[in-house]
Amino acid sequence: MRAKISYFVTAAVLVVYFVLVGSRGVMLLQQGTALTVTFGAAVLILPVIGVWFLWKNTEFVRKANALATELDAEGGLPVDELVRTPGGRIDRDSADEVFAKRRAETEDSPDDWRCWFRLAVAYHDARDTPRARRAMQRAIALHDGRPLPS
């Protein structure tokens, strides 16, 4: 729940920032000189890129949560079998051990979105965020029947 609150607060702050930057870009465009119009157009590009990025990330999180809900309803969510340090951090060797199991499971069933979801969780536990994201994107694509990301 804390992660959702943090995400929404961050998204709200970004939207406020995009509005402020966008208003400055419009003000520059209204000045009408060649220089201010050029700067205004350049300034307006930043919020457009930011809104697109925020939208794509929100869509990704929404779809990943939908997969988690579906997998939970099936009773297929990965069980937390990780060893933790006294401070609560995941032990690296334990994460690597679970990752090896999840990778083997995925290699045995490469077309099963459930395996890719669990592999994404294992990547995340092993602190490999880029691969976790790619594995989750693959799980989403397999679930939705879309072409697989490269």
Side-chain angles (χ1 to χ4, degrees):
M1 185 61 165
R2 199 167 109 177
K4 282 185 181 183
I5 292 170
S6 297
Y7 187 81
F8 285 119
V9 168
T10 304
V13 168
L14 283 172
V15 168
V16 169
Y17 173 76
F18 298 151
V19 169
L20 289 174
V21 170
S23 69
R24 299 296 182 231
V26 169
M27 286 170 44
L28 285 168
L29 289 175
Q30 290 173 340
Q31 292 296 316
T33 67
L35 185 62
T36 59
V37 168
T38 303
F39 281 147
V43 167
L44 284 176
I45 289 172
L46 295 174
V48 169
I49 292 170
V51 166
W52 174 82
F53 185 75
L54 183 61
W55 173 256
K56 294 304 274 183
N57 278 305
T58 303
E59 185 178 304
F60 172 77
V61 169
R62 188 183 52 77
K63 287 180 179 183
N65 284 338
L67 291 187
T69 302
E70 186 174 334
L71 202 55
D72 187 29
E74 296 175 357
L77 278 179
V79 178
D80 186 2
E81 54 190 312
L82 299 167
V83 176
R84 298 184 187 276
T85 65
R89 295 186 66 101
I90 296 171
D91 179 61
R92 182 69 179 195
D93 293 333
S94 174
D96 290 343
E97 197 175 299
V98 171
F99 171 77
K101 284 194 285 188
R102 298 292 180 226
R103 185 180 61 203
E105 175 185 295
T106 305
E107 287 171 353
D108 290 342
S109 303
D111 295 329
D112 186 2
W113 68 266
R114 293 162 188 87
C115 294
W116 283 99
F117 182 94
R118 288 188 284 266
L119 181 63
V121 172
Y123 271 128
H124 182 266
D125 291 341
R127 298 186 196 116
D128 191 347
T129 305
R131 286 190 177 130
R133 189 170 181 88
R134 283 194 299 272
M136 187 60 73
Q137 287 170 338
R138 190 173 186 101
I140 291 168
L142 285 168
H143 180 267
D144 294 348
R146 291 181 297 138
L148 298 175
S150 55

